C-alpha cells in the first residue's frame, strides 16, 4: 500500500499561521484585560445614617473632585427601609464649573435592593477630568413617603473636597460613594509585551516544525528501509 509523506517545506507552510494567530489572540486578550482592571477610590465608607426618603419634594446633592481622568463608574450605597418600592429615581451628573448636565441615569426603585450599591457607569464620550469638580444629584418625580428609597451617609464630614446638601441645606456628612478607576498600562509596556509574546510563540512554532520534520524524516527512512527489504 502506497504511503504519502509530507515534505518539510509543506509542514512549514501549514504551521506558519500558528504564531500569527496566537499572537493576535494574545494581544486582544491582553488589551481587554488591561481595560477590565480597575482600582477603587473610596470617597466615604462610613454608613452611619440615612439621608431620609428621596421623595418628589427632595433633592440630594453631593459634590466631589474627580480623583482621575479614567473614572469608569461610581457606586452609591442605597437603602430601601426593608421594603419594596416602585417609584422612579433619577441620578444626574453635573460639571460644576460650567453648570452643565453631563448625564442622567433612570432607575426603578423596585430594582434597588436594601443596603446595596447602585452602579453608575460613566458612558463613553462623557469626559471626567482629574481635579475638576462635579456633582451628583438624586431626585424623583413620583416618590412619596412610604414609597421611596434613601442613601447611606456618614454623620460627620469625612470628605473634605465636597459637600452634601438636602434641598439646598448643608448636611454634616457625606454619601457612601466609591469610584472605580480604569488602570491603564503605558504604551511602552504594551509594545514590550507584544514583542515578547510574538518571540515566544514564534520559538515554539519553529520548535514544532523542527520536531515534526524530524518525525517525518524518521518515518520516511523506515519506509525506505522496509521497501528495500521487501525488494
Amino acid at each position: 500500500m502506497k504511503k504519502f509523506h509530507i515534505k518539510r517545506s509543506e509542514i512549514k507552510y501549514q504551521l506558519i499561521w500558528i504564531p500569527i494567530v496566537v499572537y493576535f489572540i494574545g494581544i486582544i486578550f491582553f488589551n481587554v484585560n488591561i481595560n477590565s482592571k480597575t482600582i477603587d477610590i473610596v470617597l466615604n465608607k462610613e454608613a452611619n445614617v440615612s439621608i431620609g426618603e428621596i421623595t418628589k419634594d427632595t433633592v440630594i446633592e453631593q459634590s466631589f473632585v474627580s480623583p482621575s481622568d479614567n473614572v469608569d463608574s461610581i457606586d452609591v450605597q442605597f437603602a430601601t427601609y426593608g421594603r419594596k418600592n416602585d417609584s422612579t429615581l433619577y441620578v444626574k451628573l453635573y460639571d460644576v464649573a460650567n453648570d452643565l448636565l453631563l448625564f442622567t441615569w433612570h432607575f426603578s426603585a423596585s430594582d434597588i435592593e436594601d443596603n446595596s450599591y447602585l452602579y453608575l457607569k460613566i458612558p463613553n464620550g462623557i469626559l471626567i477630568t482629574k481635579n475638576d469638580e462635579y456633582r451628583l444629584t438624586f431626585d424623583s418625580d413620583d416618590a412619596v413617603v412610604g414609597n421611596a428609597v434613601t442613601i447611606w451617609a456618614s454623620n460627620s464630614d469625612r470628605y473634605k473636597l465636597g459637600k452634601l446638601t438636602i434641598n439646598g441645606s448643608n448636611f454634616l456628612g457625606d454619601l457612601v460613594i466609591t469610584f472605580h478607576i480604569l488602570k491603564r498600562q503605558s504604551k511602552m509596556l504594551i509594545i514590550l509585551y507584544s514583542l515578547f509574546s510574538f518571540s515566544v510563540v514564534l520559538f515554539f512554532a519553529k520548535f514544532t516544525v523542527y520536531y515534526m520534520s524530524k518525525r517525518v524524516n524518521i518515518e520516511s527512512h523506515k519506509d525506505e528501509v522496509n521497501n528495500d527489504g521487501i525488494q
Side-chain angles (χ1 to χ4, degrees), residues 20-30:
I20 297 175
V21 172
V22 174
Y23 170 72
F24 281 108
I25 291 175
I27 290 300
I28 292 172
F29 174 79
F30 183 68

Side-chain angles (χ1 to χ4, degrees), residues 93-146:
L93 176 64
Y94 286 89
D95 177 342
V96 172
N98 300 304
D99 195 24
L100 177 66
L101 175 62
L102 298 177
F103 193 74
T104 301
W105 292 270
H106 302 255
F107 297 98
S108 171
S110 61
D111 295 328
I112 300 175
E113 297 182 2
D114 199 22
N115 300 320
S116 66
Y117 282 86
L118 192 63
Y119 177 72
L120 305 175
K121 171 68 176 176
I122 305 298
N124 293 331
I126 301 298
L127 181 62
I128 303 295
T129 306
K130 184 177 180 178
N131 295 328
D132 281 0
E133 188 177 7
Y134 298 89
R135 183 175 68 249
L136 286 172
T137 299
F138 306 84
D139 57 32
S140 176
D141 60 359
D142 60 357
V144 295
V145 175

